[in-house]
């Protein structure tokens, strides 16, 4: 497996990027992915995948898969990664977010191409697994196959939630929900390192509408907006706003 290279904001397989092989399974789990996809696999299968994986450090905004490419499977080690869809006019909507321990690309690997892309929301580290090795393990080991099926079911239910949110919730509620998904702990606070345009892309709206929603949340004392990040001041109230419960 070759490392990624940056090309027009897309990280492609090629030479020249600083990558490294991950450590063993226990070291990886101790690093924050315990309870994630690799931890649910049989240890021998997880070690096989790790032995051939490449760890990649990605800058914010790096697109690591587009729908015209060969399938890729990645496990998030640090940061936030999103799976999103776009249309010819440039509009986007986030289907789901992946956090440390989560896996993306299983459906692409086992079910075929799909009109989705995968992008780093903030500075992130991921493991790129060998697709052919995962397919061979699924074919040979019923436990691996069941684990993958369970993971795909979880992702399907999360996608259902996202479809319902986009269909039935207001932009205000959707913005609140996405901020909760995007925020990560930083110096005792929850911080989402995103711009207004990136929030608009995530919720499938336009910047002007999202700016009004952020202004409302800021006036309520729920968030603080800075140039390159949004600080969540009141996570409980933000959760209430996201669900419509007051």
């Amino acid at each position: 497996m070759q490392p990624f290279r940056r090309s027009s904001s897309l990280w492609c397989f090629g030479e020249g990027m600083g990558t490294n092989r991950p450590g063993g399974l226990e070291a990886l789990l101790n690093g924050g992915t315990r309870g994630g996809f690799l931890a649910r696999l049989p240890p021998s299968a997880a070690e096989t995948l790790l032995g051939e994986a490449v760890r990649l450090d990605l800058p914010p905004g790096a697109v690591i898969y587009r729908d015209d490419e060969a399938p890729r499977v990645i496990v998030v080690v640090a940061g936030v990664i999103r799976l999103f869809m776009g249309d010819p006019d440039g509009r986007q909507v986030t289907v789901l977010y992946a956090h440390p321990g989560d896996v993306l690309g299983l459906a692409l690997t086992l079910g075929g191409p799909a009109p989705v892309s995968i992008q780093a929301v903030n500075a992130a580290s991921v493991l790129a697994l060998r697709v052919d090795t995962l397919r061979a393990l699924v074919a040979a080991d019923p436990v691996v196959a069941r684990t993958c099926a369970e993971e795909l079911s979880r992702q399907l239910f999360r996608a259902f939630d996202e479809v319902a949110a986009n269909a039935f919730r207001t932009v205000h509620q959707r913005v609140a929900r996405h901020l909760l998904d995007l925020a990560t702990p930083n110096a005792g606070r929850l911080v989402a390192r995103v711009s207004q345009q990136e929030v608009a892309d995530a919720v499938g709206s336009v910047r002007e509408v999202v700016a009004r929603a952020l202004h409302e949340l800021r006036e309520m004392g729920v968030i603080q907006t800075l140039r390159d990040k949004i600080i969540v001041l009141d996570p409980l109230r933000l959760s209430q706003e996201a669900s419509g419960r007051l």
Side-chain angles (χ1 to χ4, degrees), residues 37 40 96 103-112 134 138 144-160:
F37 173 70
R40 295 193 297 271
L96 61 85
V103 63
L104 290 175
L106 279 181
L108 304 171
T109 299
L110 303 177
L134 178 60
V138 168
V144 174
R146 184 175 68 246
T147 301
C148 289
E150 291 171 348
E151 175 62 30
L152 288 171
S153 295
R154 276 189 287 271
Q155 293 186 11
L156 178 61
F157 294 149
R158 289 168 62 188
F160 286 163

Side-chain angles (χ1 to χ4, degrees), residues 63-235:
V63 177
I64 51 179
Y65 173 78
R66 286 188 177 140
D67 58 8
D68 57 351
E69 298 181 322
R72 293 175 185 167
V73 182
I74 63 168
V75 174
V76 184
V77 177
V80 180
I81 307 290
R82 72 174 183 134
L83 185 78
F84 71 95
M85 303 181 71
D87 69 7
D89 295 328
R91 294 178 299 178
Q92 300 177 0
V93 62
T94 296
V95 178
L96 61 85
Y97 293 104
H99 298 85
D102 292 340
V103 63
L104 290 175
L106 279 181
L108 304 171
T109 299
L110 303 177
V116 296
S117 298
I118 300 174
Q119 180 182 39
V121 175
N122 48 28
S125 292
V126 302
L127 295 178
L129 307 182
R130 284 191 66 91
V131 169
D132 54 352
T133 299
L134 178 60
R135 285 172 173 164
L137 288 169
V138 168
D141 189 332
V143 178
V144 174
R146 184 175 68 246
T147 301
C148 289
E150 291 171 348
E151 175 62 30
L152 288 171
S153 295
R154 276 189 287 271
Q155 293 186 11
L156 178 61
F157 294 149
R158 289 168 62 188
F160 286 163
D161 287 342
E162 199 61 42
V163 170
N166 287 332
F168 303 129
R169 296 184 182 179
T170 66
V171 171
H172 178 97
Q173 291 172 319
R174 281 151 48 198
V175 167
R177 184 169 183 266
H178 279 268
L179 288 179
L180 287 171
D181 284 336
L182 288 167
T184 56
N186 183 277
R189 285 183 165 180
L190 289 176
V191 178
R193 296 188 178 278
V194 289
S195 66
Q196 291 185 1
Q197 184 58 56
E198 288 168 333
V199 176
D201 290 341
V203 303
S205 185
V206 296
R207 184 179 180 277
E208 293 74 15
V209 175
V210 166
R212 288 196 294 270
L214 291 172
H215 175 75
E216 293 169 357
L217 292 170
R218 186 170 60 247
E219 290 296 303
M220 294 164 58
V222 177
I223 64 170
Q224 177 185 359
T225 56
L226 301 175
R227 185 177 65 86
D228 59 347
K229 61 185 176 182
I230 299 171
I231 301 172
V232 179
L233 303 176
D234 191 338

